[in-house]
Amino acid sequence: MREPKSMPRGRTFLAGKIISNYGQSSIDCIVRQISDVGAVIEVESALGIPEHFHLLIPGEGSPQPCKRAWQSDKQVGLVLEAAEAAREEAAGNSAGEPKGGEQIVRGQLLALRAALDVVDVGVLLLDADMKSQFINRAFRRMWALPDAVADRNPAFVALMYHGRDTNAYEIEAKSIDAYVAERVRLVRAGDTRPFDLRRTNGEVIRMQCVNLPNGGRMISYTYVTDIVRHADELEVLRSALDNVSEGVVMLDGNLNAQFLNRKMRTLWGVTEEQAARRPPYESLIRNSPHANDRGMTPDQLDAFYASRVAAVRDGSEPLRDLRTTDGRNIRAHCAPLKNGGRMLTYCDVTDLVRNAQQMEELATIDSMTGLYNRRHFWTLAAAEWSRFQRYYRPLSVLMIDVDHFKAVNDRYGHAVGDEALVAVADACREGKRSSDIVGRLGGEEFAMLLPETDLDQAKIVAERIRQRVVAGALQAHGGHFKVTASVGFAAAAVSMPGFEALLHAADQALHQAKAEGRNRTVAWSPPPAAKLAAE
């Protein structure tokens, strides 16, 4: 039998040709990883390459008959048929036995090794003594391992120290030996948990060990730099969101919580472990602290929480102000996400609401007496006057003035004078009805608007206010003294051009009360009509 020519092992040829169809078809290829029994070839497309063909390497003899062992999109693993036939013949002559399963397994193993040599995942096979049996090309490139070193079947610990010596690990020099020893211990123990190796060049490689039946190990090394970088960025984002003052909730399309920051975990009384189980939004709001302290019946609570879930699902309330049972004001914002989920943010605006209320009070309330100031009293009075003009409902007003207020200031001082004003304001506040509106117009002058009140009813209110003022007692200079008030009142008439005319009428009645001796109430009456001259 003609001896097959030995192939040039370990070299790469850029000008190989695949010859088939009795020499009528030819495909250019690159020949890599040649061995005595096969090679890996690269082509533009592996489609159409037959199972049996000849491989021609210019300058290396005649075409060699080959058999396709495996193929990918652009690569084909082949077995030299002449070498395979020679091995089978030698095995048959030496043993005198027919070809068996061992030869089939050997061919499959060769094909598998060739396939592992072209994948992008680093693969390291160790025997039971932790010595390498196979190191694929990706591993060698990944760790800059020379072929001369890899082909000597180094021990796993030697490979780890190769990484140390080439400064591949992002580990401090003082800790590197302990790091290597720990990695060797875990592989020897058969720890299958994935471990991410961080390299000094910024790359991250995921290492995972698989235990083999023969006591050996198969270790895979996969680049996960982008995945880990995204995970790191996500962790930074999570940490940032955990430290913002607003509450943040991320829901999926089924309204299950994907993320709760620390603020919301505290607000809803949820631990990190509970949040990691991705609870439904409805259970979070139902089981939050004080959830049942809303003064509602169970049916009302069910309806309330169902409406909250529906609003978030529909996105019908992008902004909503909530008030908690402990008196805080929370502004909730709901934003739809591209994946069908929702992002909810909760901002505590209690201070803003309180400040707004204080600003409103400063704009509408007299700071000394706590009554409405002149501007706000006029605003409310204008609204009541419009209602009077529209429906002709009764409307009256009182004008109240502290008697001899200047004398009180001169005798006891302005501080006592202020106390007198507060006492009169308290008498007005206590003597008014819930619908009545009272304000301080300035100095010692007060006004009270009485909706749905005619002149007779106004007289009752006016007298009640006057009596309350008289009943009070103030203390000054070690003694007690009293103040009195004069009250003038008037009822609205259709002939009046506006509220100012009504207030002027009550003021005229007030002046009459003062003229008649003070500490009394006087009703305004329109002046008598002028008599016509006799014709």
Side-chain angles (χ1 to χ4, degrees):
M1 176 181 288
R2 181 169 60 91
E3 292 292 333
K5 181 179 180 180
S6 176
M7 296 295 287
R9 180 172 182 174
R11 295 172 60 188
T12 297
F13 296 90
L14 303 179
K17 287 185 178 296
I18 299 171
I19 301 173
S20 60
N21 197 17
Y22 302 101
Q24 297 181 16
S25 298
S26 175
I27 300 174
D28 293 332
C29 67
I30 298 173
V31 184
R32 299 185 187 277
Q33 304 175 25
I34 298 176
S35 68
D36 292 337
V37 296
V40 175
I41 58 175
E42 295 181 4
V43 291
E44 290 187 3
S45 174
L47 295 175
I49 295 179
E51 183 177 359
H52 298 274
F53 56 87
H54 284 72
L55 177 65
L56 173 63
I57 301 177
E60 297 298 330
S62 59
Q64 295 289 324
C66 303
K67 180 174 69 174
R68 186 182 69 229
W70 58 270
Q71 74 177 51
S72 62
D73 290 342
K74 294 187 177 183
Q75 292 185 326
V76 177
L78 57 87
V79 177
L80 299 176
E81 291 186 330
E84 185 177 35
R87 288 196 310 275
E88 292 176 356
E89 181 178 355
N93 292 336
S94 62
E97 296 178 358
K99 181 177 71 171
E102 183 179 349
Q103 294 297 329
I104 298 175
V105 171
R106 179 176 176 81
Q108 292 174 342
L109 180 60
L110 289 173
L112 177 60
R113 290 171 68 95
L116 291 177
D117 248 348
V118 297
V119 297
D120 294 330
V121 177
V123 178
L124 172 64
L125 294 179
L126 305 176
D127 62 15
D129 296 323
M130 302 287 287
K131 187 176 181 181
S132 62
Q133 299 299 299
F134 172 74
I135 304 175
N136 77 338
R137 294 291 169 186
F139 182 97
R140 301 181 191 204
R141 291 192 302 268
M142 193 176 287
W143 300 104
L145 183 67
D147 288 343
V149 176
D151 291 341
R152 290 199 297 268
N153 302 110
F156 178 64
V157 65
L159 294 174
M160 290 294 297
Y161 278 118
H162 169 77
R164 178 201 65 179
D165 296 338
T166 56
N167 297 317
Y169 310 127
E170 191 183 62
I171 303 292
E172 294 182 1
K174 63 181 181 180
S175 305
I176 189 67
D177 288 340
Y179 171 79
V180 169
E182 178 65 10
R183 298 313 314 152
V184 172
R185 184 189 70 80
L186 291 175
V187 171
R188 189 183 300 278
D191 192 330
T192 59
R193 291 174 297 176
F195 179 80
D196 289 343
L197 306 168
R198 294 181 180 266
R199 303 185 50 165
T200 51
N201 62 3
E203 294 174 340
V204 182
I205 298 174
R206 181 158 295 166
M207 168 186 174
Q208 189 159 16
C209 176
V210 176
N211 299 316
L212 302 179
N214 65 355
R217 304 285 185 266
M218 182 179 77
I219 308 176
S220 62
Y221 296 79
T222 309
Y223 283 110
V224 292
T225 307
D226 290 341
I227 297 174
V228 172
R229 181 180 297 120
H230 292 157
D232 290 345
E233 292 172 353
L234 181 59
E235 187 58 33
V236 170
L237 178 61
R238 291 172 65 94
S239 178
L241 290 177
D242 255 349
N243 289 281
V244 298
S245 58
E246 292 79 16
V248 180
V249 181
M250 304 291 291
L251 304 176
D252 62 16
N254 296 319
L255 301 191
N256 294 322
Q258 302 297 294
F259 171 74
L260 301 172
N261 73 341
R262 183 183 295 115
K263 184 78 172 183
M264 290 310 300
R265 294 197 300 270
T266 302
L267 181 64
W268 282 340
V270 177
T271 65
E272 289 191 47
E273 292 75 16
Q274 290 171 328
R277 292 197 286 267
R278 300 185 175 183
Y281 169 69
E282 183 173 3
S283 72
L284 289 170
I285 59 177
R286 278 184 176 274
N287 298 320
S288 63
H290 312 295
N292 297 321
D293 297 344
R294 298 182 177 274
M296 299 181 182
T297 65
D299 289 342
Q300 289 173 330
L301 279 174
D302 288 342
F304 172 77
Y305 291 123
S307 68
R308 296 302 313 127
V309 172
V312 170
R313 178 177 288 110
D314 299 338
S316 57
E317 292 182 353
L319 191 66
R320 178 182 175 90
D321 286 341
L322 308 172
R323 187 170 179 84
T324 64
T325 54
D326 57 359
R328 287 178 295 164
N329 295 91
I330 305 294
R331 181 156 295 167
H333 184 266
C334 176
L337 302 178
K338 291 183 178 179
N339 64 354
R342 298 288 185 269
M343 182 178 76
L344 308 179
T345 56
Y346 294 83
C347 180
D348 193 328
V349 293
T350 305
D351 290 341
L352 293 178
V353 172
R354 184 181 297 115
N355 291 339
Q357 291 172 344
Q358 291 175 349
M359 291 297 293
E360 183 179 359
E361 289 179 359
L362 290 174
T364 61
I365 301 299
D366 176 63
S367 59
M368 178 188 296
T369 63
L371 301 179
Y372 290 130
N373 59 22
R374 180 184 184 89
R375 183 180 64 84
H376 193 59
F377 178 82
W378 271 89
T379 300
L380 298 176
E384 289 296 333
W385 183 260
S386 296
R387 196 163 70 91
F388 163 73
Q389 287 183 314
R390 189 179 306 114
Y391 302 111
Y392 298 105
R393 303 299 301 169
L395 179 66
S396 298
V397 68
L398 311 183
M399 285 291 290
I400 307 160
D401 190 90
V402 182
D403 294 332
H404 303 295
F405 181 69
K406 184 177 183 303
V408 173
N409 274 336
D410 292 343
R411 181 176 181 180
Y412 300 110
H414 289 283
V416 176
D418 290 346
E419 291 180 15
L421 292 177
V422 172
V424 174
D426 290 342
C428 292
R429 189 181 295 107
E430 294 166 2
K432 81 179 188 69
R433 301 163 304 180
S434 60
S435 60
D436 298 338
I437 300 168
V438 60
R440 181 187 177 196
L441 300 188
E444 69 273 23
E445 197 171 55
F446 301 84
M448 184 180 295
L449 194 64
L450 310 176
E452 300 291 336
T453 305
D454 59 21
L455 197 63
D456 292 336
Q457 294 169 322
K459 178 178 178 64
I460 297 173
V461 177
E463 187 61 26
R464 182 167 62 242
I465 298 299
R466 186 193 67 79
Q467 291 176 2
R468 284 183 176 274
V469 174
V470 173
L474 298 174
Q475 185 175 2
H477 300 172
H480 294 82
F481 71 97
K482 292 180 178 291
V483 294
T484 61
S486 300
V487 183
F489 56 96
V494 294
S495 60
M496 293 178 176
F499 176 73
E500 187 174 0
L502 175 60
L503 198 65
H504 180 67
D507 190 56
Q508 286 182 330
L510 172 64
H511 283 290
Q512 182 179 345
K514 286 183 172 295
E516 293 179 359
R518 295 183 173 85
N519 190 22
R520 67 190 61 227
T521 61
V522 174
W524 175 81
S525 57
K531 294 182 179 181
L532 296 176
E535 293 184 356

Short mmCIF file of all heavy atoms in Angstrom, two decimals, residues 239-282:
data_model
loop_
_atom_site.label_atom_id
_atom_site.label_comp_id
_atom_site.label_asym_id
_atom_site.label_seq_id
_atom_site.Cartn_x
_atom_site.Cartn_y
_atom_site.Cartn_z
N SER A 239 -27.75 51.94 43.89
CA SER A 239 -27.23 52.59 45.09
C SER A 239 -27.62 54.06 45.11
O SER A 239 -27.97 54.60 46.17
CB SER A 239 -25.70 52.44 45.12
OG SER A 239 -25.16 53.11 46.23
N ALA A 240 -27.56 54.70 43.93
CA ALA A 240 -27.94 56.11 43.87
C ALA A 240 -29.41 56.29 44.21
O ALA A 240 -29.79 57.19 44.98
CB ALA A 240 -27.63 56.68 42.49
N LEU A 241 -30.26 55.43 43.64
CA LEU A 241 -31.70 55.54 43.90
C LEU A 241 -32.02 55.23 45.35
O LEU A 241 -33.01 55.73 45.89
CB LEU A 241 -32.47 54.59 42.98
CG LEU A 241 -32.48 54.97 41.49
CD1 LEU A 241 -33.21 53.91 40.68
CD2 LEU A 241 -33.13 56.32 41.28
N ASP A 242 -31.18 54.40 45.97
CA ASP A 242 -31.41 54.07 47.38
C ASP A 242 -31.14 55.27 48.29
O ASP A 242 -31.57 55.27 49.45
CB ASP A 242 -30.52 52.90 47.81
CG ASP A 242 -31.31 51.61 47.93
OD1 ASP A 242 -32.56 51.67 47.90
OD2 ASP A 242 -30.68 50.55 48.06
N ASN A 243 -30.41 56.26 47.79
CA ASN A 243 -30.02 57.37 48.63
C ASN A 243 -30.70 58.68 48.26
O ASN A 243 -30.35 59.72 48.83
CB ASN A 243 -28.49 57.55 48.58
CG ASN A 243 -27.75 56.43 49.29
OD1 ASN A 243 -27.65 56.40 50.50
ND2 ASN A 243 -27.25 55.47 48.52
N VAL A 244 -31.64 58.66 47.31
CA VAL A 244 -32.38 59.87 47.00
C VAL A 244 -33.50 60.05 48.01
O VAL A 244 -33.93 59.09 48.66
CB VAL A 244 -32.94 59.84 45.57
CG1 VAL A 244 -31.83 59.76 44.54
CG2 VAL A 244 -33.92 58.69 45.39
N SER A 245 -33.96 61.28 48.14
CA SER A 245 -35.00 61.56 49.13
C SER A 245 -36.38 61.13 48.66
O SER A 245 -37.28 60.96 49.47
CB SER A 245 -35.01 63.06 49.46
OG SER A 245 -35.23 63.83 48.29
N GLU A 246 -36.56 60.95 47.35
CA GLU A 246 -37.85 60.52 46.83
C GLU A 246 -37.95 58.99 46.82
O GLU A 246 -36.95 58.29 46.70
CB GLU A 246 -38.08 61.05 45.40
CG GLU A 246 -38.26 62.55 45.31
CD GLU A 246 -36.95 63.31 45.38
OE1 GLU A 246 -35.90 62.65 45.20
OE2 GLU A 246 -36.97 64.53 45.63
N GLY A 247 -39.17 58.49 46.92
CA GLY A 247 -39.40 57.07 46.79
C GLY A 247 -39.51 56.69 45.32
O GLY A 247 -40.12 57.42 44.53
N VAL A 248 -38.91 55.55 44.94
CA VAL A 248 -38.93 55.09 43.54
C VAL A 248 -39.37 53.64 43.51
O VAL A 248 -38.85 52.80 44.26
CB VAL A 248 -37.54 55.23 42.88
CG1 VAL A 248 -37.59 54.74 41.43
CG2 VAL A 248 -37.06 56.67 42.93
N VAL A 249 -40.34 53.34 42.63
CA VAL A 249 -40.86 51.99 42.46
C VAL A 249 -40.88 51.67 40.97
O VAL A 249 -41.37 52.47 40.18
CB VAL A 249 -42.29 51.84 43.03
CG1 VAL A 249 -42.79 50.41 42.86
CG2 VAL A 249 -42.34 52.25 44.49
N MET A 250 -40.32 50.51 40.60
CA MET A 250 -40.37 50.04 39.22
C MET A 250 -41.28 48.82 39.18
O MET A 250 -41.05 47.85 39.90
CB MET A 250 -38.98 49.68 38.71
CG MET A 250 -37.96 50.79 38.82
SD MET A 250 -38.27 52.16 37.71
CE MET A 250 -37.92 51.40 36.14
N LEU A 251 -42.32 48.89 38.31
CA LEU A 251 -43.27 47.79 38.16
C LEU A 251 -43.15 47.21 36.77
O LEU A 251 -42.89 47.93 35.80
CB LEU A 251 -44.70 48.28 38.39
CG LEU A 251 -45.01 48.99 39.72
CD1 LEU A 251 -46.44 49.50 39.71
CD2 LEU A 251 -44.78 48.06 40.89
N ASP A 252 -43.37 45.89 36.63
CA ASP A 252 -43.40 45.28 35.30
C ASP A 252 -44.81 45.40 34.73
O ASP A 252 -45.69 46.05 35.31
CB ASP A 252 -42.93 43.82 35.36
CG ASP A 252 -43.83 42.94 36.23
OD1 ASP A 252 -44.97 43.36 36.55
OD2 ASP A 252 -43.40 41.82 36.57
N GLY A 253 -45.03 44.76 33.58
CA GLY A 253 -46.33 44.86 32.92
C GLY A 253 -47.47 44.28 33.72
O GLY A 253 -48.63 44.64 33.51
N ASN A 254 -47.16 43.37 34.66
CA ASN A 254 -48.19 42.79 35.52
C ASN A 254 -48.31 43.52 36.85
O ASN A 254 -48.96 43.04 37.78
CB ASN A 254 -47.88 41.32 35.76
CG ASN A 254 -47.94 40.49 34.49
OD1 ASN A 254 -48.82 40.69 33.66
ND2 ASN A 254 -47.00 39.58 34.32
N LEU A 255 -47.64 44.68 36.95
CA LEU A 255 -47.64 45.50 38.17
C LEU A 255 -47.02 44.78 39.35
O LEU A 255 -47.43 44.97 40.50
CB LEU A 255 -49.06 46.00 38.52
CG LEU A 255 -49.77 46.84 37.46
CD1 LEU A 255 -51.03 47.47 38.05
CD2 LEU A 255 -48.86 47.91 36.88
N ASN A 256 -46.01 43.93 39.07
CA ASN A 256 -45.20 43.36 40.13
C ASN A 256 -43.97 44.24 40.32
O ASN A 256 -43.37 44.72 39.35
CB ASN A 256 -44.76 41.94 39.79
CG ASN A 256 -45.96 40.99 39.72
OD1 ASN A 256 -46.89 41.10 40.51
ND2 ASN A 256 -45.93 40.07 38.77
N ALA A 257 -43.57 44.45 41.56
CA ALA A 257 -42.47 45.36 41.86
C ALA A 257 -41.13 44.74 41.44
O ALA A 257 -40.75 43.68 41.93
CB ALA A 257 -42.45 45.68 43.35
N GLN A 258 -40.43 45.40 40.52
CA GLN A 258 -39.10 44.96 40.12
C GLN A 258 -38.02 45.61 40.97
O GLN A 258 -36.93 45.07 41.13
CB GLN A 258 -38.86 45.32 38.64
CG GLN A 258 -39.86 44.72 37.69
CD GLN A 258 -39.83 43.22 37.69
OE1 GLN A 258 -38.85 42.61 37.29
NE2 GLN A 258 -40.90 42.60 38.16
N PHE A 259 -38.32 46.78 41.52
CA PHE A 259 -37.34 47.49 42.33
C PHE A 259 -38.06 48.45 43.26
O PHE A 259 -38.99 49.15 42.86
CB PHE A 259 -36.37 48.27 41.45
CG PHE A 259 -35.46 49.19 42.22
CD1 PHE A 259 -34.40 48.68 42.95
CD2 PHE A 259 -35.68 50.56 42.22
CE1 PHE A 259 -33.58 49.52 43.68
CE2 PHE A 259 -34.86 51.41 42.93
CZ PHE A 259 -33.80 50.89 43.67
N LEU A 260 -37.64 48.46 44.51
CA LEU A 260 -38.11 49.43 45.51
C LEU A 260 -36.88 50.04 46.15
O LEU A 260 -36.02 49.31 46.67
CB LEU A 260 -38.94 48.75 46.60
CG LEU A 260 -40.21 47.98 46.20
CD1 LEU A 260 -40.75 47.24 47.42
CD2 LEU A 260 -41.25 48.93 45.67
N ASN A 261 -36.74 51.35 46.10
CA ASN A 261 -35.59 51.93 46.78
C ASN A 261 -35.83 52.01 48.28
O ASN A 261 -36.92 51.70 48.77
CB ASN A 261 -35.22 53.29 46.18
CG ASN A 261 -36.19 54.38 46.56
OD1 ASN A 261 -37.31 54.14 46.97
ND2 ASN A 261 -35.74 55.62 46.43
N ARG A 262 -34.79 52.40 49.00
CA ARG A 262 -34.86 52.36 50.47
C ARG A 262 -36.02 53.20 51.00
O ARG A 262 -36.69 52.82 51.97
CB ARG A 262 -33.53 52.85 51.06
CG ARG A 262 -33.49 52.76 52.58
CD ARG A 262 -32.21 53.32 53.17
NE ARG A 262 -31.07 52.52 52.76
CZ ARG A 262 -30.08 52.96 51.99
NH1 ARG A 262 -30.11 54.19 51.54
NH2 ARG A 262 -29.07 52.19 51.68
N LYS A 263 -36.26 54.36 50.38
CA LYS A 263 -37.33 55.24 50.84
C LYS A 263 -38.68 54.52 50.80
O LYS A 263 -39.48 54.60 51.74
CB LYS A 263 -37.37 56.48 49.95
CG LYS A 263 -38.39 57.53 50.37
CD LYS A 263 -37.88 58.33 51.54
CE LYS A 263 -38.79 59.49 51.85
NZ LYS A 263 -38.28 60.33 52.95
N MET A 264 -38.95 53.79 49.70
CA MET A 264 -40.23 53.11 49.57
C MET A 264 -40.29 51.86 50.46
O MET A 264 -41.36 51.51 50.96
CB MET A 264 -40.49 52.72 48.11
CG MET A 264 -40.78 53.92 47.22
SD MET A 264 -42.04 55.02 47.90
CE MET A 264 -43.45 53.93 48.01
N ARG A 265 -39.17 51.20 50.64
CA ARG A 265 -39.18 50.04 51.53
C ARG A 265 -39.52 50.48 52.95
O ARG A 265 -40.25 49.78 53.66
CB ARG A 265 -37.82 49.33 51.50
CG ARG A 265 -37.47 48.69 50.17
CD ARG A 265 -36.35 47.68 50.29
NE ARG A 265 -35.12 48.25 50.79
CZ ARG A 265 -34.16 48.77 50.03
NH1 ARG A 265 -34.31 48.79 48.71
NH2 ARG A 265 -33.06 49.26 50.57
N THR A 266 -39.01 51.65 53.33
CA THR A 266 -39.34 52.18 54.65
C THR A 266 -40.80 52.62 54.72
O THR A 266 -41.51 52.33 55.69
CB THR A 266 -38.42 53.37 54.98
OG1 THR A 266 -37.06 52.94 54.94
CG2 THR A 266 -38.73 53.92 56.36
N LEU A 267 -41.26 53.31 53.67
CA LEU A 267 -42.63 53.82 53.65
C LEU A 267 -43.65 52.68 53.71
O LEU A 267 -44.66 52.78 54.42
CB LEU A 267 -42.86 54.66 52.40
CG LEU A 267 -44.25 55.28 52.23
CD1 LEU A 267 -44.51 56.29 53.35
CD2 LEU A 267 -44.39 55.94 50.88
N TRP A 268 -43.37 51.59 52.99
CA TRP A 268 -44.30 50.48 52.93
C TRP A 268 -43.97 49.36 53.91
O TRP A 268 -44.64 48.31 53.92
CB TRP A 268 -44.36 49.92 51.51
CG TRP A 268 -45.19 50.77 50.59
CD1 TRP A 268 -46.14 51.67 50.95
CD2 TRP A 268 -45.15 50.78 49.16
NE1 TRP A 268 -46.69 52.25 49.83
CE2 TRP A 268 -46.11 51.72 48.72
CE3 TRP A 268 -44.41 50.10 48.21
CZ2 TRP A 268 -46.35 51.98 47.37
CZ3 TRP A 268 -44.63 50.37 46.86
CH2 TRP A 268 -45.59 51.29 46.45
N GLY A 269 -42.93 49.53 54.73
CA GLY A 269 -42.59 48.51 55.71
C GLY A 269 -42.17 47.20 55.10
O GLY A 269 -42.58 46.12 55.55
N VAL A 270 -41.31 47.25 54.05
CA VAL A 270 -40.89 46.06 53.32
C VAL A 270 -39.39 45.86 53.52
O VAL A 270 -38.61 46.80 53.41
CB VAL A 270 -41.19 46.20 51.81
CG1 VAL A 270 -40.69 45.00 51.03
CG2 VAL A 270 -42.69 46.38 51.60
N THR A 271 -38.97 44.63 53.82
CA THR A 271 -37.55 44.32 53.93
C THR A 271 -36.95 44.11 52.54
O THR A 271 -37.68 43.92 51.56
CB THR A 271 -37.33 43.07 54.78
OG1 THR A 271 -37.89 41.93 54.09
CG2 THR A 271 -37.99 43.21 56.14
N GLU A 272 -35.61 44.10 52.47
CA GLU A 272 -34.95 43.84 51.18
C GLU A 272 -35.30 42.45 50.67
O GLU A 272 -35.46 42.25 49.46
CB GLU A 272 -33.44 43.99 51.33
CG GLU A 272 -32.97 45.43 51.52
CD GLU A 272 -31.47 45.56 51.39
OE1 GLU A 272 -30.90 45.01 50.42
OE2 GLU A 272 -30.86 46.20 52.25
N GLU A 273 -35.38 41.48 51.57
CA GLU A 273 -35.72 40.12 51.16
C GLU A 273 -37.13 40.06 50.59
O GLU A 273 -37.38 39.39 49.57
CB GLU A 273 -35.60 39.15 52.34
CG GLU A 273 -34.17 38.94 52.85
CD GLU A 273 -33.65 40.13 53.64
OE1 GLU A 273 -34.47 40.98 54.05
OE2 GLU A 273 -32.42 40.20 53.85
N GLN A 274 -38.06 40.75 51.21
CA GLN A 274 -39.44 40.77 50.69
C GLN A 274 -39.50 41.49 49.35
O GLN A 274 -40.21 41.05 48.44
CB GLN A 274 -40.35 41.47 51.71
CG GLN A 274 -40.58 40.66 52.98
CD GLN A 274 -41.31 41.46 54.05
OE1 GLN A 274 -41.16 42.68 54.15
NE2 GLN A 274 -42.11 40.78 54.86
N ALA A 275 -38.75 42.57 49.21
CA ALA A 275 -38.74 43.30 47.93
C ALA A 275 -38.13 42.45 46.82
O ALA A 275 -38.57 42.53 45.67
CB ALA A 275 -37.96 44.60 48.09
N ALA A 276 -37.14 41.61 47.16
CA ALA A 276 -36.50 40.76 46.15
C ALA A 276 -37.46 39.72 45.59
O ALA A 276 -37.23 39.19 44.49
CB ALA A 276 -35.27 40.08 46.74
N ARG A 277 -38.53 39.42 46.31
CA ARG A 277 -39.52 38.44 45.82
C ARG A 277 -40.51 39.07 44.85
O ARG A 277 -41.43 38.40 44.39
CB ARG A 277 -40.25 37.82 47.01
CG ARG A 277 -39.37 36.93 47.86
CD ARG A 277 -40.18 36.01 48.76
NE ARG A 277 -40.77 36.74 49.87
CZ ARG A 277 -40.20 36.86 51.06
NH1 ARG A 277 -38.99 36.33 51.27
NH2 ARG A 277 -40.79 37.51 52.04
N ARG A 278 -40.33 40.34 44.53
CA ARG A 278 -41.14 41.06 43.54
C ARG A 278 -42.64 40.97 43.84
O ARG A 278 -43.41 40.40 43.08
CB ARG A 278 -40.84 40.53 42.13
CG ARG A 278 -39.38 40.70 41.75
CD ARG A 278 -39.10 40.30 40.33
NE ARG A 278 -37.71 40.57 39.98
CZ ARG A 278 -37.19 40.37 38.78
NH1 ARG A 278 -37.96 39.89 37.81
NH2 ARG A 278 -35.93 40.66 38.53
N PRO A 279 -43.04 41.53 44.96
CA PRO A 279 -44.46 41.45 45.34
C PRO A 279 -45.33 42.30 44.43
O PRO A 279 -44.86 43.29 43.84
CB PRO A 279 -44.46 41.99 46.77
CG PRO A 279 -43.28 42.90 46.82
CD PRO A 279 -42.24 42.27 45.93
N PRO A 280 -46.61 41.98 44.29
CA PRO A 280 -47.53 42.80 43.49
C PRO A 280 -47.73 44.17 44.14
O PRO A 280 -47.67 44.32 45.36
CB PRO A 280 -48.84 41.99 43.50
CG PRO A 280 -48.45 40.61 43.90
CD PRO A 280 -47.26 40.74 44.80
N TYR A 281 -47.98 45.15 43.29
CA TYR A 281 -48.20 46.52 43.77
C TYR A 281 -49.37 46.57 44.74
O TYR A 281 -49.31 47.26 45.77
CB TYR A 281 -48.44 47.43 42.57
CG TYR A 281 -48.94 48.81 42.92
CD1 TYR A 281 -48.14 49.73 43.57
CD2 TYR A 281 -50.24 49.19 42.59
CE1 TYR A 281 -48.60 50.99 43.88
CE2 TYR A 281 -50.71 50.45 42.90
CZ TYR A 281 -49.89 51.35 43.55
OH TYR A 281 -50.36 52.59 43.86
N GLU A 282 -50.44 45.83 44.44
CA GLU A 282 -51.62 45.88 45.29
C GLU A 282 -51.31 45.38 46.70
O GLU A 282 -51.77 45.96 47.69
CB GLU A 282 -52.76 45.06 44.69
CG GLU A 282 -54.05 45.13 45.50
CD GLU A 282 -55.22 44.45 44.81
OE1 GLU A 282 -55.02 43.88 43.73
OE2 GLU A 282 -56.33 44.51 45.37
#
